[in-house]
Amino acid sequence: MHRLTNFITARRTSWIVLVVAFLAAGAVFALGSGATGDTSPGVGLPASAESSRVAEAQKDLPSADSTSALIVFSRGGDMLTDADRTAIQAAATELAPLSKDEFVPPPTVSDDETAAIVVVPLATVTDVEAQAERAAELRSTANADLPTGLTALLTGPEGFEVDIAAVFAGADLTLLLTTVVVVAVLLL
């Protein structure tokens, strides 16, 4: 036992122990990270929690199998022109095949006439990659053939879910490496 403790703590060999520990930790996280799932994670709460019971009750609601994307058209604060309104209506028509029932309600123009919103009803998708592809298609379809200066941005539940998934896409590895470095520095 004395030889082992001397080997671990000796000035000449302690770096070997540190390198072996880093390699072992890297192997454990690389081989068994569990980050291979293709679906969005659940809330992780027990079934008795109020949030879990509400989520379960929401499955019985009529719109439980659907979500929506909101496409906001604007000119950066300037009033929409007649050509803009025509282009927005055309974009809504082009977005209809992407919707759940191939129907998109007419665009809603704000009271000050500086923005218009198109609501696109969508089926719920749990696969993060498929949802990101659908969002990219919504964005490109909405922005196709718009007059100069008019922009279309994706928001609403669909836009939020896609953007929040993109924010955390590489966070697990970054956080892991940062934690390992901080712990190693503190221990040394």
Side-chain angles (χ1 to χ4, degrees), residues 54-64:
V54 168
E56 195 62 35
Q58 285 178 332
K59 292 179 183 176
D60 296 332
L61 296 174
S63 64

Side-chain angles (χ1 to χ4, degrees), residues 51-138:
S51 298
S52 297
R53 293 191 315 221
V54 168
E56 195 62 35
Q58 285 178 332
K59 292 179 183 176
D60 296 332
L61 296 174
S63 64
D65 61 340
S66 65
T67 186
S68 63
L70 302 178
I71 311 291
V72 180
F73 294 87
S74 72
R75 278 198 164 276
D78 294 337
M79 290 184 65
L80 298 174
T81 65
D82 289 337
D84 293 341
R85 291 173 193 251
T86 303
I88 293 168
Q89 183 59 50
T93 303
E94 292 295 318
L95 289 165
L98 301 174
S99 72
K100 181 179 177 186
D101 299 321
E102 294 192 10
F103 171 76
V104 173
T108 304
V109 179
S110 65
D111 291 339
D112 63 357
E113 299 182 3
T114 59
I117 296 178
V118 174
V119 179
V120 182
L122 300 169
T124 302
V125 176
T126 57
D127 182 24
V128 176
E129 289 181 24
Q131 192 176 32
E133 289 173 11
R134 180 170 70 180
E137 188 174 3
L138 285 166

Side-chain angles (χ1 to χ4, degrees), residues 1 6-7 11 39 42 53 62-63 78 88 106-107 111 119 133 139 161 176 181 187:
M1 186 68 168
N6 282 344
F7 180 79
R11 185 176 299 265
T39 60
R53 293 191 315 221
S63 64
D78 294 337
I88 293 168
D111 291 339
V119 179
E133 289 173 11
R139 286 179 174 128
E161 288 180 21
L176 170 68
V181 169
L187 289 175

